[in-house]
Structures are given as C-alpha cells and as structure tokens.
Amino acid sequence: MSDSPHDDATHHVLLIRHGQTEWSLTDRHTGRTDIDLTPKGEEDARALKGIENRAGLTNPWVMASPRKRAQRTAELAGLHVDETSELFAEWDYGDYEGLTRAQIHQQYDPDWTIWTGGGRNGESVSQMTTRVDSAVDHVEERFAKSDVIVVSHGHFSRSFICRFLGWPISQGANIDLRPAGSALLSDHAGDRRLVELRGPEGARPRRTSL
C-alpha cells in the first residue's frame, strides 16, 4: 500500500453476497451461469439499503461481479456500482456447474469439496487463490482513497475473507455467508480483522473478535 495521509486510518471492506436465486435455493453450484434473483432474493436485497451507513462507511467505492445476480443486488440495495470486474466473479466450477454437492459426490468424487478439489475443468484451488489474491490487492489499492464495498458471491466472498486475513483459502469451509449476507473486514496498519458476519438484514448478527 502506498504512503498517503490515510495510512494510519482504519480501512474497511464490506463484502455482500447476492440475494437468493433459484439455484442457490436448491444448492446448485452457480459460477458463470447468469441467473437472476428470486422474489425472496429481491426482497432481501432491498433490505440491504443503507448497509454502508450501518457499517460506518462514508462514500465507499463499490466494486461488483459482472453477473446479473450481483448487479441486481447492488441496484436493489441502492448502491451505485463504480467498478465491475471478473476479479470478483464466482468460482468457475467447470463440470460441476449447476450440480449439487450430493450430485458431484455421486457422479464424480465422493470425497469432493470445492475447498480441496476445486472445479473440474474450471478453476483449481490454486487458480482461485491467485485470482482472489489479485482481488485483495486491487481492493488495497483503493484504500488510499476510500473504504470499499464488494458485491459478489458466496464462495468468492469466503475466499476473499481468508486471503485478506492471510489464511489458506481452504479455511473458507469454516465461514458461513448466506445469500444477501455480509462480512465486514478491517485493516489498521496491517492489523486485519473479520469484524462482523451478518445474515440477511433482520437476521441476528454474528460478531467475531480475532
């Protein structure tokens, strides 16, 4: 991070997972498929309005995945997307796209998890780690000017939390982020923390102290 008058400030990243889709409702892996929100997903996205103020962010820069479920969530939450990038897209599941974990176990590998096996003919764990590291670097570059909101996806957001905190990406298996849920991260002079995990607005917040 370059020197700036803000280097001694506490910087924040607010990660928002898109609202419910038909595939997330049925636990189907949704990577590059461009699917829209369900009515419930739209309702939960609208409930996110004002989340930047509740998180204590002032004029944050909003980055988002190009997938319509993320873009629509940002729109309904009243967030103006300043930047859209494939860096923030969901894991590319390859052959596992559209399948549930149970189907993947039955058809391919009974011991498979995304955190250890990656996407067959999609993104490996190593490739996802590299991309998420680039996303973390990109967000860090913005810290000199403002806090950041990232509207994205479940596995991407859980991976981002891990890499932002310096953990292996496999630790994402231990993080639960529901549709329309959010995670607030902070950085103060290199001291990084997961400040809060929330479910959809109205759900009970889950606070952590690291």
Side-chain angles (χ1 to χ4, degrees):
M1 194 183 306
S2 60
D3 292 338
S4 81
H6 302 283
D7 281 348
D8 291 332
T10 298
H11 308 286
H12 293 94
V13 186
L14 179 65
L15 302 172
I16 298 175
R17 182 181 175 185
H18 64 76
Q20 182 193 82
T21 69
E22 288 291 345
W23 282 21
S24 69
L25 179 61
T26 53
D27 295 325
R28 296 170 68 183
H29 286 80
T30 320
R32 297 190 176 277
T33 302
D34 218 5
I35 189 170
D36 213 339
L37 305 179
T38 63
K40 168 65 172 170
E42 292 187 344
E43 177 185 349
D44 288 343
R46 289 190 187 95
L48 289 165
K49 284 184 177 179
I51 189 172
E52 67 276 24
N53 298 323
R54 294 189 290 275
L57 309 186
T58 303
N59 297 321
W61 185 260
V62 181
M63 304 176 178
S65 161
R67 304 296 171 260
K68 68 172 64 174
R69 56 195 184 275
Q71 295 283 324
R72 181 65 172 152
T73 296
E75 176 188 3
L76 292 173
L79 298 171
H80 170 75
V81 176
D82 299 295
E83 182 178 346
T84 296
S85 173
E86 286 285 348
L87 278 178
F88 307 111
E90 182 57 295
W91 205 311
D92 183 349
Y93 301 117
D95 295 344
Y96 301 150
E97 182 78 4
L99 300 180
T100 66
R101 186 170 174 175
Q103 289 172 326
I104 296 167
H105 286 173
Q106 183 178 32
Q107 297 177 31
Y108 293 98
D109 180 355
D111 298 318
W112 176 86
T113 74
I114 190 65
W115 307 106
T116 57
R120 185 174 183 266
N121 292 320
E123 283 181 295
S124 67
V125 174
S126 175
Q127 289 169 326
M128 186 63 173
T129 299
T130 297
R131 176 160 68 87
V132 174
D133 283 350
S134 295
V136 170
D137 289 344
H138 188 61
V139 167
E140 288 175 353
E141 291 170 0
R142 185 68 202 181
F143 281 166
K145 297 180 180 180
S146 70
D147 291 327
V148 175
I149 294 176
V150 177
V151 186
S152 186
H153 309 270
H155 282 142
F156 172 87
S157 296
R158 292 158 69 185
S159 300
F160 187 100
I161 292 169
C162 291
R163 300 308 296 154
F164 185 85
L165 297 175
W167 301 345
I169 204 170
S170 59
Q171 291 296 111
N174 302 311
I175 300 170
D176 186 22
L177 189 62
R178 299 287 88 197
S182 62
L184 182 63
L185 300 165
S186 71
D187 180 301
H188 181 82
D191 179 11
R192 296 188 169 185
R193 302 189 178 208
L194 172 57
V195 179
E196 182 178 79
L197 279 174
R198 294 183 67 95
E201 288 299 301
R204 183 177 180 181
R206 304 172 184 181
R207 292 185 178 272
T208 64
S209 178
L210 300 181

